[in-house]
């Protein structure tokens, strides 16, 4: 009898959730304030991390900026200060666990407990698998996913104690669907999406619903990390466009942020279409970027 009641309750929740989603399409969602929040952004010296810092600065957050590039992060910090934000700069290698832990301790002493973290730092080495060096594979996983673990573990106790915080995972559409010639990158982003989903589930199981999570999954972004990217079906995105979607998702506590949003439709189709149809879609997309194939740089 209990199982029947549980199934009925499940059905009601499913119907309610769909109706709620439909209502949200027409009614703007309330956005939370991040003024006064201590926001740590990794990879803040360039691209998405830099523009995310600008947006938080405009919203009067207190910024903690990390990057391995001292010059780049100081440029970001200077602009954030012009926007009126209190900004702290740390040169950190997000592939180094001990350096991460030491830097988090330093942040706690000098700034305070971080309440929002944007795990954005990432690397990519476009090449076929045999042309990819072992150390490049290791570095990809150290930065793109293991760094998320070390940073989150170090910051989480204070968030858990207050039941307040927001953990943002910058992943990629490559964390849901694969592209040739960037196998380590795709694999690390699949891991990042899994990290986000499992962490979200764990917070719910622990009753820590005050700690929010978001995962950003854009298509190609014009940040310079991949050279000459292009595709027929999806535009190469500009950084400010992606960051607008990211900030909107954070302020509305959106869990999965696809940019552009219609990419989710293609990912859903992948689950149902036969392999031959998927191969045809890939052919139509004609995804291209510079990659090392057979030890030579080619457009792929």
């Amino acid at each position: 009898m209990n199982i029947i009641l549980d199934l009925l309750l499940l059905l009601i929740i499913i119907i309610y959730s769909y109706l709620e989603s439909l209502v949200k399409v027409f009614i703007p969602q309330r956005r939370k304030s991040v003024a006064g929040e201590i926001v740590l952004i990794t990879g803040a010296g360039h691209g998405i991390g830099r523009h995310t810092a600008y947006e938080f600065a405009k919203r009067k957050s207190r910024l903690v900026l990390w990057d391995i590039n001292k010059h780049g992060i100081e440029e970001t910090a200077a602009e954030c200060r012009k926007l009126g934000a209190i900004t702290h700069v740390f040169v950190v290698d997000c592939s180094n666990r001990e350096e991460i832990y030491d830097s988090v301790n330093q942040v706690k002493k000098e700034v305070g407990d971080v309440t929002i973290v944007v795990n954005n730092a990432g690397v990519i080495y476009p090449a076929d698998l045999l042309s990819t060096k072992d150390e490049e594979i290791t570095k990809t996983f150290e930065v793109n996913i293991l760094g998320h673990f070390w940073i989150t573990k170090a910051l989480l106790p204070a968030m858990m104690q207050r039941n307040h915080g927001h953990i943002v995972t910058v992943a990629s559409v490559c964390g849901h669907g694969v592209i040739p010639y960037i196998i380590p990158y795709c694999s690390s982003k699949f891991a990042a999406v899994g990290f986000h989903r499992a962490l979200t589930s764990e917070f719910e199981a622990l009753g820590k619903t005050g700690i929010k999570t978001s995962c950003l999954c854009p298509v190609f972004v014009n940040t310079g990390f991949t050279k000459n990217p292009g595709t027929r079906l999806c535009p190469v995105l500009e950084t400010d466009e992606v960051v607008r979607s990211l900030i909107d998702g954070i302020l509305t506590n959106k869990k999965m942020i696809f940019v552009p949003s219609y990419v989710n439709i293609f990912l859903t189709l992948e689950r149902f279409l036969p392999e031959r149809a998927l191969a045809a879609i890939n052919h139509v997309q004609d995804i291209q970027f510079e990659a090392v194939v057979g030890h030579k740089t080619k457009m792929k």
Side-chain angles (χ1 to χ4, degrees):
M1 191 66 181
N2 287 338
I3 185 66
I4 294 175
L5 292 175
D6 286 343
L7 289 173
L8 285 173
L9 179 61
L10 175 62
L11 180 61
I12 291 169
I13 291 172
I14 290 172
I15 293 171
Y16 176 82
S17 298
Y18 274 111
L19 290 174
E20 183 183 42
S21 297
L22 184 61
V23 169
K24 286 179 179 178
V25 171
F26 300 100
I27 299 177
Q29 289 181 264
R30 183 179 177 182
R31 281 156 174 74
K32 66 184 181 184
S33 172
V34 292
E37 301 279 2
I38 298 178
V39 183
L40 189 157
I41 304 170
T42 68
H46 177 78
I48 291 173
R50 170 174 284 184
H51 284 80
T52 301
Y54 295 164
E55 292 301 320
F56 275 109
K58 294 173 186 176
R59 290 164 175 80
K60 310 306 178 186
S61 301
R62 189 171 179 180
L63 299 179
V64 177
L65 307 181
W66 284 14
D67 202 287
I68 198 170
N69 183 333
K70 187 174 187 292
H71 177 70
I73 200 170
E74 286 179 345
E75 285 187 342
T76 303
E79 186 62 32
C80 289
R81 290 175 183 132
K82 288 180 184 177
L83 293 169
I86 298 172
T87 305
H88 307 264
V89 171
F90 296 82
V91 177
V92 184
D93 180 357
C94 287
S95 70
N96 188 314
R97 181 179 58 185
E98 295 307 319
E99 193 169 324
I100 287 171
Y101 286 161
D102 289 343
S103 297
V104 167
N105 288 333
Q106 191 177 353
V107 169
K108 289 179 180 179
K109 291 176 183 177
E110 297 180 11
V111 186
D113 291 323
V114 171
T115 51
I116 300 175
V117 58
V118 182
N119 283 313
N120 166 71
V123 296
I124 184 171
Y125 300 98
D128 68 279
L129 184 58
L130 293 179
S131 299
T132 307
K133 299 174 183 176
D134 291 356
E135 56 268 28
E136 292 174 338
I137 296 172
T138 301
K139 178 69 76 172
T140 299
F141 279 87
E142 285 175 340
V143 176
N144 292 6
I145 181 59
L146 290 179
H148 294 213
F149 275 89
W150 315 141
I151 293 166
T152 303
K153 281 192 69 179
L155 298 175
L156 198 52
M159 293 186 188
M160 296 279 280
Q161 187 175 6
R162 300 178 183 177
N163 191 25
H164 174 75
H166 202 132
I167 297 170
V168 181
T169 301
V170 176
S172 168
V173 167
C174 293
H176 300 268
V178 296
I179 297 176
Y181 308 112
I182 47 172
I183 291 176
Y185 181 80
C186 288
S187 302
S188 69
K189 293 303 182 179
F190 263 84
V193 170
F195 172 80
H196 157 76
R197 294 183 62 186
L199 187 65
T200 303
S201 179
E202 186 160 290
F203 287 149
E204 292 173 357
L206 292 170
K208 297 297 181 180
T209 54
I211 305 176
K212 307 303 181 181
T213 58
S214 297
C215 184
L216 176 68
C217 296
V219 297
F220 280 121
V221 186
N222 187 22
T223 61
F225 277 4
T226 51
K227 295 181 180 180
N228 300 315
T231 173
R232 288 179 179 172
L233 298 183
C234 295
V236 176
L237 303 172
E238 294 302 322
T239 306
D240 56 350
E241 177 185 358
V242 175
V243 171
R244 281 197 301 270
S245 295
L246 173 60
I247 293 296
D248 184 70
I250 293 171
L251 298 182
T252 57
N253 296 322
K254 189 173 183 179
K255 287 186 169 58
M256 192 65 69
I257 306 163
F258 289 103
V259 189
S261 57
Y262 62 76
V263 168
N264 195 24
I265 298 172
F266 292 107
L267 296 174
T268 301
L269 286 174
E270 273 197 350
R271 302 173 187 172
F272 302 101
L273 292 176
E275 289 187 14
R276 187 174 297 167
L278 292 175
I281 289 175
N282 289 335
H283 177 73
V284 171
Q285 287 190 93
D286 190 27
I287 297 172
Q288 295 189 10
F289 52 91
E290 285 189 21
V292 176
V293 181
H295 305 293
K296 295 181 181 179
T297 299
K298 300 179 180 179
M299 285 293 295
K300 288 296 174 183

